[in-house]
């Protein structure tokens, strides 16, 4: 069995960010008519035979399946040959850009790195090609969510090529046994359902959790990105400063979580509920195997990505299950149907030797419906254009379909890209971990939110100043 993990890697380090800044200033000039100019690129008419290099992180079976798409591209553009090299993560891509010998086109699983790529110029702004003679009408091809994780400060330096979307999975057998007839649509329904579904042992220990309201439970459940989207919380204010303390939705996320823990697991006592949940989570199975808690029936309702469907198919699952959009706060029912969406991105690095030919491949990969449907069927990620998501040729289970709707929802999004990568999510995650473990009292929450907001701002200023110093030193 060859299972997929979410297409998301940690953001590049500070050192790599500094390298990116230098790369944006020193990499060789590209020969194309797109990213080097602010004007729309003319139609590409040069048909001189050329070989372009493609770097991607894929390996093994996935790389072999990915390489199949170039047959269709070569049939349409017979003068362009693609030399595809796999197993190249973002740090090696950065090294290639900085060396002055980058690929012509690159794939990244590191969606949190796009702000840095755009800001430093390490990936070229695609806008001239997009608006040019061989361009794309972005708004008619992609849903709004696709443009939230592929751009930064109006620079469209990447486009999506498959993505992840997040919703809920429900154990239908457990719901039926509890007399629950539908997936929860509001957070109050989720809490009531969890209370009915949760089972305790003779010593009060949790044997089956209706829902695990724990920020640091598994990689991709109650993350900062997911909770921010669920509550409609803003990451930044109108001045570009952290909104952790100024947007009341962030505080509501934390207070909702603690109240949930107290009510469902602690008989009104949050500390008691947290202690039981910690013990339950300590016994969790491998997230990337058949012992994962939902797959094993240990949890009745959970937040997860579309890829979990592949595990449900390949593991010895003994119950029926469904998927749906996650529940939303009772005060904002209009948000139901939305979710987080972010995934694989494609760009043209600074210094690409054959940028125009690379653009033709990038456009083909990101907009050709048969190509995206083929990849979705084989890689089991969400296809990223409006047409591909509606294609009758998709051969995916019924439980996959809600993730297509979540991705297409106009309120779905990723965390805004920034020049500091995932620093804001990282500092928020540390606060969430302390909150989970009852290290922060209710009355101290607002002060703690203000503290991480200041830390994020200081980190951003420090990073930008450091980058300028590195660039100045290397220019001497």
């Amino acid at each position: 069995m060859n299972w997929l993990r979410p297409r998301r890697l940690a953001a590049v380090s500070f050192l790599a960010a500094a390298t990116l800044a230098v790369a944006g200033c020193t990499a060789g000039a590209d020969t194309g008519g797109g990213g080097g100019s602010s004007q729309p690129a003319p139609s590409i008419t040069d048909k001189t035979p050329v070989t372009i290099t493609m770097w991607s992180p894929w390996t093994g079976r996935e790389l072999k399946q990915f390489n199949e798409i170039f047959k269709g591209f070569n049939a349409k553009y017979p003068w362009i040959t693609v030399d595809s090299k796999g197993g190249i993560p973002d740090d090696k891509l950065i090294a290639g850009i900085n060396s002055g010998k980058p690929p012509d086109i690159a794939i990244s699983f590191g969606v949190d790195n796009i702000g840095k790529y755009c800001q430093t110029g390490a990936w070229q702004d695609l806008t001239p090609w997009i608006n040019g003679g061989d361009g794309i009408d972005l708004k008619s091809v992609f849903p709004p969510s696709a443009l939230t994780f592929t751009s930064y400060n109006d620079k469209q330096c990447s486009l999506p090529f498959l993505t992840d979307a997040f919703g809920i999975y429900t154990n239908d057998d457990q719901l039926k046994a509890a007399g629950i007839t539908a997936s929860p649509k509001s957070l109050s329904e989720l809490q009531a359902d969890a209370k009915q579904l949760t089972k305790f042992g003779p010593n009060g220990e949790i044997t089956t959790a209706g829902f695990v309201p724990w920020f640091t439970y598994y990689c991709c459940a109650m993350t900062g990105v997911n909770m921010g989207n669920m509550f409609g919380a803003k990451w930044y204010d109108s001045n570009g400063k952290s909104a952790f303390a100024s947007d009341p939705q962030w505080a509501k996320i934390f207070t909702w979580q603690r109240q949930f823990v107290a009510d469902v697991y602690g008989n009104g006592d949050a500390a008691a509920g947290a202690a039981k949940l910690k013990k339950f989570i300590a016994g969790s199975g491998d997230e990337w195997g058949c012992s994962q808690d939902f797959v094993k029936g240990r949890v009745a309702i959970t937040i997860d990505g579309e890829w979990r469907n592949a595990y449900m198919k390949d593991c010895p699952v003994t119950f029926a299950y469904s998927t749906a959009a996650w529940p939303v706060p009772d005060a904002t029912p209009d948000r139901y149907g939305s979710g987080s969406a972010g995934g694989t991105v494609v760009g043209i690095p600074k210094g690409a030797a054959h940028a125009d030919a690379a653009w033709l491949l990038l456009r083909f990969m990101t907009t050709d419906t048969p190509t995206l449907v083929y990849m979705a069927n084989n890689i089991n990620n969400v296809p990223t254009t409006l047409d591909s998501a509606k294609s009758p040729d998709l051969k995916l289970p019924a439980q996959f379909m809600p993730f297509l709707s979540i991705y297409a929802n106009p309120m779905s999004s990723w965390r805004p890209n920034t020049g500091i990568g995932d620093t804001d999510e990282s500092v928020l995650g540390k606060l969430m971990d302390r909150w989970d473990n009852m290290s922060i009292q209710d009355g101290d929450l607002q002060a703690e939110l203000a503290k991480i907001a200041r830390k994020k701002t200081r980190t951003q200023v420090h990073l930008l100043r450091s980058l300028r110093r590195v660039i100045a030193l290397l220019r001497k």
Side-chain angles (χ1 to χ4, degrees):
M1 289 178 281
N2 192 329
W3 289 313
L4 300 172
R5 301 192 184 197
R7 300 291 179 205
R8 185 177 169 223
L9 305 181
V12 293
S13 66
F14 163 73
L15 178 60
T19 305
L20 276 174
V22 176
C25 297
T26 62
D30 59 279
T31 59
S37 168
S38 60
Q39 300 300 314
S43 297
I44 300 169
T45 57
D46 184 2
K47 297 185 178 182
T48 303
V50 64
T51 296
I52 60 175
T53 54
M54 155 65 78
W55 288 4
S56 76
W58 274 308
T59 59
R61 176 183 69 88
E62 292 177 334
L63 178 62
K64 184 177 180 180
Q65 291 171 331
F66 170 61
N67 286 342
E68 287 295 310
I69 72 170
F70 301 127
K71 294 177 181 178
F73 174 74
N74 193 245
K76 189 171 184 178
Y77 303 99
W79 65 93
I80 304 176
T81 301
V82 180
D83 178 17
S84 173
K85 299 183 184 301
I88 302 178
D90 280 30
D91 56 349
K92 291 185 178 180
L93 171 60
I94 293 166
I97 296 171
N98 193 49
S99 72
K101 297 179 180 179
D104 295 301
I105 182 172
I107 286 178
S108 171
F109 294 163
V111 62
D112 289 319
N113 297 336
I114 292 305
K116 293 178 180 179
Y117 289 156
C118 291
Q119 182 188 51
T120 61
W123 278 21
Q124 299 183 47
D125 186 358
L126 302 176
T127 303
W129 284 296
I130 291 169
N131 294 336
D134 296 290
I136 303 171
D137 181 0
L138 296 181
K139 291 184 179 180
S140 67
V141 173
F142 302 105
S145 60
L147 305 182
T148 67
F149 67 88
T150 56
S151 63
Y152 170 73
N153 275 3
D154 297 324
K155 282 189 176 182
Q156 191 73 46
C157 70
S158 70
L159 288 176
F161 184 63
L162 304 184
T163 191
D164 294 319
F166 298 82
I168 61 168
Y169 286 70
T170 58
N171 183 317
D172 292 349
D173 291 2
Q174 291 186 25
L175 266 66
K176 183 178 180 181
I180 300 169
T181 58
S183 297
K185 292 186 176 182
S186 69
L187 291 182
S188 63
E189 290 177 356
L190 174 65
Q191 188 165 324
D193 289 352
K195 204 165 186 177
Q196 282 184 262
L197 293 161
T198 296
K199 296 179 181 178
F200 297 94
N203 297 317
E205 74 279 10
I206 303 167
T207 57
T208 301
F211 176 82
V212 178
W214 200 260
F215 291 126
T216 51
Y217 173 65
Y218 284 147
C219 89
C220 309
M222 285 177 53
T223 64
V225 170
N226 286 347
M227 298 310 297
N229 180 284
M230 182 185 290
F231 278 74
K234 295 179 181 178
W235 288 80
Y236 301 96
D237 63 21
S238 58
N239 296 316
K241 294 183 178 180
S242 175
F244 289 151
S246 59
D247 185 347
Q249 296 304 320
W250 289 110
K252 289 180 181 179
I253 291 170
F254 286 85
T255 54
W256 164 79
Q257 183 267 358
R258 185 157 289 180
Q259 187 272 333
F260 192 118
V261 171
D263 178 49
V264 177
Y265 297 102
N267 195 27
D269 184 339
K276 291 181 180 181
L277 280 169
K278 283 182 70 174
K279 185 175 181 180
F280 178 82
I281 291 168
S284 295
D286 176 18
E287 183 166 15
W288 310 114
C290 291
S291 61
Q292 192 262 3
D293 282 357
F294 180 78
V295 176
K296 288 289 289 182
R298 201 165 174 258
V299 172
I301 302 174
T302 194
I303 295 173
D304 214 332
E306 82 290 338
W307 66 83
R308 188 61 59 192
N309 284 290
Y311 292 78
M312 300 301 290
K313 176 183 176 182
D314 291 338
C315 293
V317 175
T318 59
F319 56 87
Y321 80 101
S322 297
T323 61
W326 55 40
V328 296
D330 293 59
T332 56
D334 59 313
R335 294 196 63 81
Y336 183 75
S338 66
S340 296
T344 305
V345 291
V346 194
I348 299 175
K350 182 70 175 178
H354 309 290
D356 277 350
W359 166 251
L360 293 177
L361 175 58
L362 190 153
R363 185 184 65 172
F364 175 85
M365 289 173 56
T366 59
T367 64
D368 184 69
T369 296
T371 295
L372 291 167
V373 169
Y374 162 81
M375 288 297 294
N377 286 337
N378 284 279
I379 305 297
N380 285 277
N381 286 146
V382 175
T384 32
T385 64
L386 293 168
D387 285 346
S388 62
K390 296 183 292 186
S391 173
D393 296 323
L394 286 171
K395 294 178 174 60
L396 297 164
Q399 293 93 336
F400 195 97
M401 298 304 125
F403 295 97
L404 302 179
S405 298
I406 292 166
Y407 171 64
N409 188 288
M411 289 189 183
S412 293
S413 65
W414 193 250
R415 176 184 54 78
N417 282 318
T418 73
I420 60 171
D422 67 348
T423 299
D424 46 5
E425 187 179 357
S426 177
V427 297
L428 178 63
K430 291 176 182 178
L431 177 62
M432 287 176 156
D433 183 44
R434 293 169 59 211
W435 183 262
D436 277 339
N437 288 284
M438 300 299 296
S439 299
I440 301 171
Q441 299 303 309
D442 294 2
D444 297 329
L445 174 60
Q446 194 60 38
E448 292 292 333
L449 287 168
K451 188 183 298 183
I452 65 168
R454 290 193 298 270
K455 182 175 181 179
K456 177 263 173 188
T457 300
R458 288 196 302 269
T459 301
Q460 186 171 20
V461 171
H462 171 71
L463 176 60
L464 293 175
R465 287 175 177 171
S466 299
L467 290 177
R468 293 190 189 107
R469 286 197 295 269
V470 172
I471 293 168
L473 286 171
L474 291 172
R475 280 176 170 172
K476 288 183 178 179

